[in-house]
Amino acid sequence: MSQLIRIGMDTSKKVFQLHGVDADERVVLSRKLSRHQMIRFFANLPPTVIGIEACGASHHWARTLGALGHEVRLMAPQLVKPYVRRSKNDAADAEALCEAMSRPTMRFVPVKTVGQQAALMLVGMRERLIGRRTQLANSIRGYAAEFGVTAPVGLSRVAPFLQQIASEETLPPLARDLFAQMAEEYEGLMEQIRDLDKNLATWHRSQEVSRRLSGIPGIGPLAAALLLMKAPDPHLFRSGRDFAAWIGLTPRDHSSGGKVRHGGITRAGDSRLRSTLVVGATTVLRHVRQNGQSRLATPWLLSLLSRKKPKPAAVALANRMARIAWKLMTSGETYRKPMDAVALAAAAAC
């Protein structure tokens, strides 16, 4: 067999399809292996470049094959899809991976360490529990409405509402027992979420970069942790705009024929990170609208509020927050608060 220069590997739980080429771009490897066969194959193979789609367990295989001396490159599925020549199957996917990784403009996903994977697991568990809490709260409201009992709005009022239901004499005994079970389940979920929040806060305090990011207005411990956990190496981006575009906070381009047309945001990247930044920006805007003399009321922000509706303004501010976060992560600097409108006016009068 000729010397392999790169191998595309389509992964699954049990079967691994390999597609390799030599220096003349001739196919010299097309093989389907089991898990144990794949590990033995690469253990006996001279170091080469391996392309894998960034999917479930891909970071584990990248670390495993990297320990064997190979160079592993992870690629986003949407960037590999255009190189699939035929109908989808394992062999076609492996060939597309091998072809895609040869492109000079291809972007690769950094391999995460086991520590980063554990931190992401913490965030994932928190998201799952919050989803269960929301589902349970909606069920409680729905069941109570069937008995003519209206629940107040807000998650903070669910626990007092359950205490009210426990003493509601008009409810049948069976319904009160079931509401009591839901109250116990709700309290258990709240306790688990509080424990995860404590672990997340501990992780945040242990990371110097995360602490610096939390100094940006609108970025709290959760958003700072998500930026550090989910974003790739910031040095891979040429500018803060590229970083904001990766998150999906830049307008979609529909330009043609010399005419510029911008649509809504692209919604690329991680949806949880993007939504967290937008929620933080919304909080800042609400604070500025309520208190125009706040230190957060910079001339740029006041001008933005005068020109844009609340939602586009929040997205624009989230875009700015992402760019500032990129700058702090790449430079190692600490956020410096800009002068507010009142301070600027006083300085201009002097």
Side-chain angles (χ1 to χ4, degrees):
M1 183 172 63
S2 302
Q3 179 65 39
L4 287 164
I5 62 169
R6 66 178 185 275
I7 298 175
M9 183 170 70
D10 182 65
T11 63
S12 66
K13 292 181 179 179
K14 297 182 179 180
V15 177
F16 298 81
Q17 179 72 42
L18 308 183
H19 182 93
V21 298
D22 60 11
D24 296 326
E25 297 295 332
R26 292 178 301 186
V27 179
V28 294
L29 174 65
S30 181
R31 186 181 303 181
K32 182 178 293 186
L33 303 175
S34 67
R35 177 187 295 261
H36 299 295
Q37 290 174 331
M38 182 271 292
I39 295 176
R40 288 197 299 266
F41 175 82
F42 283 109
N44 297 323
L45 189 72
T48 187
V49 183
I50 305 169
I52 304 177
E53 189 177 83
C55 58
S58 60
H59 292 274
H60 163 71
W61 290 120
R63 292 191 297 268
T64 301
L65 297 177
L68 297 176
H70 303 287
E71 179 185 351
V72 182
R73 299 177 180 175
L74 301 182
M75 292 165 283
Q78 63 268 24
L79 299 183
V80 179
K81 181 63 175 177
Y83 296 95
V84 179
R85 298 182 182 178
R86 302 181 295 274
S87 300
K88 175 175 171 50
N89 54 61
D90 292 348
D93 289 345
E95 181 181 359
L97 286 163
C98 187
E99 177 67 22
M101 65 187 297
S102 69
R103 300 297 91 192
T105 58
M106 179 57 58
R107 299 190 299 273
F108 300 102
V109 178
V111 179
K112 291 182 172 60
T113 64
V114 290
Q116 291 173 319
Q117 294 286 171
L120 285 172
M121 184 178 175
L122 174 63
V123 175
M125 287 185 63
R126 184 180 183 274
E127 293 177 4
R128 180 175 60 83
L129 289 176
I130 288 177
R132 286 180 56 193
R133 182 186 63 180
T134 303
Q135 181 185 34
L136 181 57
N138 291 337
S139 297
I140 292 170
R141 290 191 175 94
Y143 286 131
E146 296 296 337
F147 296 100
V149 183
T150 303
V153 178
L155 284 173
S156 62
R157 301 182 179 180
V158 173
F161 178 67
L162 288 168
Q163 295 177 0
Q164 172 191 339
I165 291 178
S167 59
E168 188 68 46
E169 297 295 337
T170 60
L171 294 179
L174 176 59
R176 285 202 300 271
D177 291 342
L178 294 176
F179 276 118
Q181 292 180 27
M182 286 191 286
E184 183 179 353
E185 181 182 356
Y186 188 83
E187 180 56 33
L189 285 174
M190 293 298 295
E191 184 64 28
Q192 293 181 62
I193 292 173
R194 284 192 288 267
D195 290 341
L196 289 177
D197 284 340
K198 291 178 183 177
N199 292 334
L200 189 60
T202 301
W203 187 91
H204 163 72
R205 289 192 296 268
S206 68
Q207 302 293 323
E208 185 269 339
V209 177
S210 184
R211 294 197 304 272
R212 285 193 290 108
L213 291 177
S214 63
I216 304 173
I219 296 184
L222 177 59
L226 287 175
L227 280 167
L228 200 55
M229 291 177 185
K230 296 198 171 189
D233 182 1
H235 295 91
L236 298 175
F237 301 95
R238 293 177 299 176
S239 64
R241 188 191 185 283
D242 287 352
F243 183 67
W246 175 83
I247 299 176
L249 291 170
T250 53
R252 189 183 299 276
D253 195 359
H254 296 276
S255 303
S256 178
K259 187 174 293 185
V260 178
R261 298 185 182 89
H262 287 159
I265 58 175
T266 63
R267 298 180 184 271
D270 187 87
S271 60
R272 173 57 62 182
L273 175 58
R274 181 175 58 254
S275 63
T276 302
L277 291 176
V278 173
V279 168
T282 303
T283 303
V284 173
L285 293 179
R286 185 185 300 115
H287 176 75
V288 171
R289 284 196 296 268
Q290 293 174 353
N291 181 13
Q293 304 300 318
S294 170
R295 288 191 60 84
L296 299 179
T298 61
W300 178 86
L301 195 53
L302 293 175
S303 174
L304 179 68
L305 286 173
S306 66
R307 293 181 289 106
K308 298 290 185 180
K309 294 182 179 180
K311 189 64 175 180
V315 173
L317 179 56
N319 185 312
R320 186 183 181 93
M321 290 159 48
R323 297 185 185 207
I324 295 173
W326 174 84
K327 180 63 176 179
L328 297 189
M329 287 190 288
T330 54
S331 66
E333 299 177 5
T334 302
Y335 178 75
R336 298 187 299 273
K337 295 181 180 180
M339 296 181 67
D340 56 26
V342 177
L344 283 175
C350 294

